[in-house]
Amino acid sequence: MKHNDDMDKNQLKYAQQHLANERTFLAWIRTVIAIVGVGFLTTSLHFTIGVHRDARIDMISIVLGMFACALGLIITVLATAAYLQKRRHIHEGTFRPSSVNVILIAVFMVILLSMIVLYFSFL
């Protein structure tokens, strides 16, 4: 009877870890939706509400929208790879932090935010 209780606790622990892994993946997907949305919104509003035309600002707006979409794609791929890797680590009972992914995404976010600041500085 004691053996079954230990097995049930282990199953519950692994289920909780897998569910946390899935929630983390879904949080990354929500982040991607927000990033792509900001890029699309910036580009769309620029060309529909823009008061004056300037080729420099137009180009920054287009590049900003494209970069946001590319960043969304990159984050989706990285989040999927991290999800699969964490799933494997849960099964193996090991843990390795995902420092590289976090640093890489942070660098891309700094670039995106710099582009947004650049865009607004030319307005």
Side-chain angles (χ1 to χ4, degrees), residues 26-53:
L26 293 174
W28 279 113
I29 297 304
R30 285 190 299 273
T31 301
V32 165
I33 292 169
I35 290 169
V36 171
V38 165
F40 178 77
L41 182 66
T42 303
T43 304
S44 178
L45 287 177
H46 171 76
F47 286 106
T48 56
I49 302 177
V51 183
H52 70 284
R53 300 315 259 184

Short mmCIF file of all heavy atoms in Angstrom, two decimals, residues 26-53:
data_model
loop_
_atom_site.label_atom_id
_atom_site.label_comp_id
_atom_site.label_asym_id
_atom_site.label_seq_id
_atom_site.Cartn_x
_atom_site.Cartn_y
_atom_site.Cartn_z
N LEU A 26 2.71 28.22 -23.34
CA LEU A 26 1.58 29.08 -23.73
C LEU A 26 1.84 30.55 -23.40
O LEU A 26 1.40 31.45 -24.14
CB LEU A 26 0.29 28.59 -23.07
CG LEU A 26 -0.19 27.23 -23.56
CD1 LEU A 26 -1.40 26.77 -22.75
CD2 LEU A 26 -0.52 27.28 -25.05
N ALA A 27 2.57 30.83 -22.32
CA ALA A 27 2.94 32.22 -21.99
C ALA A 27 3.85 32.79 -23.08
O ALA A 27 3.71 33.96 -23.47
CB ALA A 27 3.62 32.27 -20.63
N TRP A 28 4.78 31.97 -23.58
CA TRP A 28 5.65 32.42 -24.67
C TRP A 28 4.81 32.71 -25.92
O TRP A 28 5.07 33.69 -26.63
CB TRP A 28 6.73 31.39 -24.98
CG TRP A 28 7.90 31.44 -24.06
CD1 TRP A 28 8.27 30.49 -23.16
CD2 TRP A 28 8.85 32.50 -23.93
NE1 TRP A 28 9.40 30.90 -22.48
CE2 TRP A 28 9.77 32.14 -22.94
CE3 TRP A 28 9.00 33.73 -24.56
CZ2 TRP A 28 10.83 32.94 -22.56
CZ3 TRP A 28 10.06 34.54 -24.19
CH2 TRP A 28 10.95 34.14 -23.20
N ILE A 29 3.83 31.87 -26.20
CA ILE A 29 2.98 32.09 -27.37
C ILE A 29 2.17 33.37 -27.21
O ILE A 29 2.03 34.15 -28.17
CB ILE A 29 2.06 30.86 -27.61
CG1 ILE A 29 2.91 29.62 -27.92
CG2 ILE A 29 1.06 31.13 -28.73
CD1 ILE A 29 3.85 29.76 -29.10
N ARG A 30 1.66 33.65 -26.02
CA ARG A 30 0.96 34.92 -25.79
C ARG A 30 1.91 36.10 -25.98
O ARG A 30 1.52 37.15 -26.52
CB ARG A 30 0.35 34.94 -24.39
CG ARG A 30 -0.88 34.09 -24.25
CD ARG A 30 -1.59 34.33 -22.93
NE ARG A 30 -0.78 34.02 -21.77
CZ ARG A 30 -0.68 32.83 -21.21
NH1 ARG A 30 -1.34 31.82 -21.72
NH2 ARG A 30 0.07 32.64 -20.14
N THR A 31 3.15 35.94 -25.56
CA THR A 31 4.15 36.99 -25.77
C THR A 31 4.38 37.23 -27.26
O THR A 31 4.48 38.38 -27.70
CB THR A 31 5.47 36.60 -25.06
OG1 THR A 31 5.20 36.41 -23.68
CG2 THR A 31 6.53 37.66 -25.26
N VAL A 32 4.46 36.15 -28.03
CA VAL A 32 4.64 36.27 -29.48
C VAL A 32 3.46 37.03 -30.09
O VAL A 32 3.67 37.93 -30.93
CB VAL A 32 4.78 34.87 -30.13
CG1 VAL A 32 4.60 34.94 -31.64
CG2 VAL A 32 6.12 34.26 -29.77
N ILE A 33 2.25 36.71 -29.67
CA ILE A 33 1.07 37.40 -30.20
C ILE A 33 1.16 38.90 -29.90
O ILE A 33 0.87 39.73 -30.77
CB ILE A 33 -0.22 36.78 -29.62
CG1 ILE A 33 -0.41 35.36 -30.18
CG2 ILE A 33 -1.44 37.65 -29.93
CD1 ILE A 33 -1.48 34.56 -29.48
N ALA A 34 1.59 39.25 -28.69
CA ALA A 34 1.72 40.66 -28.33
C ALA A 34 2.80 41.36 -29.15
O ALA A 34 2.60 42.48 -29.63
CB ALA A 34 2.02 40.78 -26.84
N ILE A 35 3.95 40.71 -29.34
CA ILE A 35 5.05 41.31 -30.09
C ILE A 35 4.65 41.53 -31.55
O ILE A 35 4.86 42.62 -32.11
CB ILE A 35 6.33 40.44 -30.00
CG1 ILE A 35 6.89 40.50 -28.59
CG2 ILE A 35 7.38 40.89 -31.01
CD1 ILE A 35 7.99 39.49 -28.32
N VAL A 36 4.08 40.53 -32.16
CA VAL A 36 3.65 40.65 -33.56
C VAL A 36 2.54 41.70 -33.66
O VAL A 36 2.52 42.50 -34.60
CB VAL A 36 3.21 39.29 -34.11
CG1 VAL A 36 2.55 39.43 -35.47
CG2 VAL A 36 4.40 38.34 -34.20
N GLY A 37 1.66 41.72 -32.67
CA GLY A 37 0.59 42.72 -32.66
C GLY A 37 1.12 44.14 -32.59
O GLY A 37 0.64 45.03 -33.29
N VAL A 38 2.14 44.36 -31.75
CA VAL A 38 2.74 45.70 -31.65
C VAL A 38 3.38 46.09 -32.98
O VAL A 38 3.22 47.22 -33.45
CB VAL A 38 3.77 45.75 -30.49
CG1 VAL A 38 4.66 46.97 -30.59
CG2 VAL A 38 3.06 45.72 -29.16
N GLY A 39 4.10 45.16 -33.59
CA GLY A 39 4.73 45.46 -34.88
C GLY A 39 3.71 45.76 -35.96
O GLY A 39 3.84 46.73 -36.72
N PHE A 40 2.66 44.94 -36.01
CA PHE A 40 1.61 45.16 -37.01
C PHE A 40 0.88 46.46 -36.74
O PHE A 40 0.61 47.24 -37.67
CB PHE A 40 0.63 43.98 -36.98
CG PHE A 40 -0.50 44.14 -37.93
CD1 PHE A 40 -0.32 43.92 -39.29
CD2 PHE A 40 -1.76 44.52 -37.49
CE1 PHE A 40 -1.37 44.08 -40.19
CE2 PHE A 40 -2.80 44.69 -38.37
CZ PHE A 40 -2.61 44.46 -39.73
N LEU A 41 0.56 46.72 -35.48
CA LEU A 41 -0.16 47.94 -35.13
C LEU A 41 0.65 49.19 -35.47
O LEU A 41 0.12 50.15 -36.03
CB LEU A 41 -0.50 47.93 -33.63
CG LEU A 41 -1.29 49.12 -33.11
CD1 LEU A 41 -2.68 49.13 -33.72
CD2 LEU A 41 -1.36 49.08 -31.60
N THR A 42 1.93 49.16 -35.14
CA THR A 42 2.79 50.31 -35.44
C THR A 42 2.82 50.59 -36.93
O THR A 42 2.64 51.72 -37.37
CB THR A 42 4.21 50.06 -34.92
OG1 THR A 42 4.16 49.80 -33.52
CG2 THR A 42 5.11 51.26 -35.17
N THR A 43 3.06 49.56 -37.73
CA THR A 43 3.13 49.73 -39.18
C THR A 43 1.77 50.16 -39.75
O THR A 43 1.70 51.07 -40.57
CB THR A 43 3.60 48.43 -39.85
OG1 THR A 43 4.84 48.05 -39.27
CG2 THR A 43 3.77 48.60 -41.34
N SER A 44 0.73 49.50 -39.29
CA SER A 44 -0.61 49.80 -39.80
C SER A 44 -1.02 51.24 -39.46
O SER A 44 -1.51 51.97 -40.34
CB SER A 44 -1.60 48.81 -39.21
OG SER A 44 -2.90 49.10 -39.63
N LEU A 45 -0.82 51.62 -38.22
CA LEU A 45 -1.19 52.99 -37.83
C LEU A 45 -0.35 54.03 -38.54
O LEU A 45 -0.83 55.10 -38.89
CB LEU A 45 -1.08 53.16 -36.31
CG LEU A 45 -2.15 52.48 -35.48
CD1 LEU A 45 -1.86 52.67 -34.00
CD2 LEU A 45 -3.53 53.01 -35.82
N HIS A 46 0.91 53.71 -38.76
CA HIS A 46 1.79 54.66 -39.44
C HIS A 46 1.25 55.00 -40.83
O HIS A 46 1.21 56.17 -41.22
CB HIS A 46 3.21 54.11 -39.55
CG HIS A 46 4.09 54.94 -40.42
ND1 HIS A 46 4.63 56.14 -39.97
CD2 HIS A 46 4.51 54.79 -41.70
CE1 HIS A 46 5.35 56.68 -40.93
NE2 HIS A 46 5.30 55.88 -42.00
N PHE A 47 0.84 53.98 -41.55
CA PHE A 47 0.41 54.22 -42.92
C PHE A 47 -1.05 54.66 -43.03
O PHE A 47 -1.45 55.21 -44.05
CB PHE A 47 0.67 52.99 -43.80
CG PHE A 47 2.12 52.81 -44.12
CD1 PHE A 47 2.86 51.82 -43.49
CD2 PHE A 47 2.77 53.66 -45.01
CE1 PHE A 47 4.22 51.67 -43.77
CE2 PHE A 47 4.11 53.52 -45.28
CZ PHE A 47 4.85 52.52 -44.66
N THR A 48 -1.87 54.43 -42.00
CA THR A 48 -3.27 54.88 -42.09
C THR A 48 -3.50 56.23 -41.43
O THR A 48 -4.38 56.97 -41.85
CB THR A 48 -4.22 53.84 -41.43
OG1 THR A 48 -3.82 53.62 -40.09
CG2 THR A 48 -4.21 52.55 -42.21
N ILE A 49 -2.71 56.57 -40.41
CA ILE A 49 -2.93 57.82 -39.70
C ILE A 49 -1.81 58.83 -39.93
O ILE A 49 -1.94 59.99 -39.57
CB ILE A 49 -3.09 57.55 -38.18
CG1 ILE A 49 -4.25 56.60 -37.95
CG2 ILE A 49 -3.34 58.82 -37.41
CD1 ILE A 49 -4.45 56.22 -36.51
N GLY A 50 -0.73 58.41 -40.53
CA GLY A 50 0.43 59.28 -40.71
C GLY A 50 0.05 60.63 -41.32
O GLY A 50 -0.61 60.70 -42.35
N VAL A 51 0.46 61.70 -40.65
CA VAL A 51 0.12 63.04 -41.10
C VAL A 51 1.02 63.48 -42.25
O VAL A 51 0.54 63.96 -43.26
CB VAL A 51 0.25 64.06 -39.93
CG1 VAL A 51 -0.19 65.43 -40.37
CG2 VAL A 51 -0.53 63.58 -38.72
N HIS A 52 2.31 63.29 -42.10
CA HIS A 52 3.23 63.66 -43.17
C HIS A 52 4.04 62.44 -43.59
O HIS A 52 4.25 61.53 -42.80
CB HIS A 52 4.14 64.81 -42.73
CG HIS A 52 5.15 64.42 -41.70
ND1 HIS A 52 4.84 64.23 -40.38
CD2 HIS A 52 6.49 64.17 -41.82
CE1 HIS A 52 5.93 63.88 -39.72
NE2 HIS A 52 6.94 63.83 -40.56
N ARG A 53 4.47 62.43 -44.81
CA ARG A 53 5.22 61.30 -45.35
C ARG A 53 6.71 61.64 -45.37
O ARG A 53 7.11 62.73 -45.77
CB ARG A 53 4.81 60.97 -46.79
CG ARG A 53 3.36 60.59 -46.98
CD ARG A 53 2.91 59.68 -45.99
NE ARG A 53 2.83 58.28 -46.37
CZ ARG A 53 2.34 57.42 -45.51
NH1 ARG A 53 1.97 57.80 -44.32
NH2 ARG A 53 2.24 56.17 -45.83
#
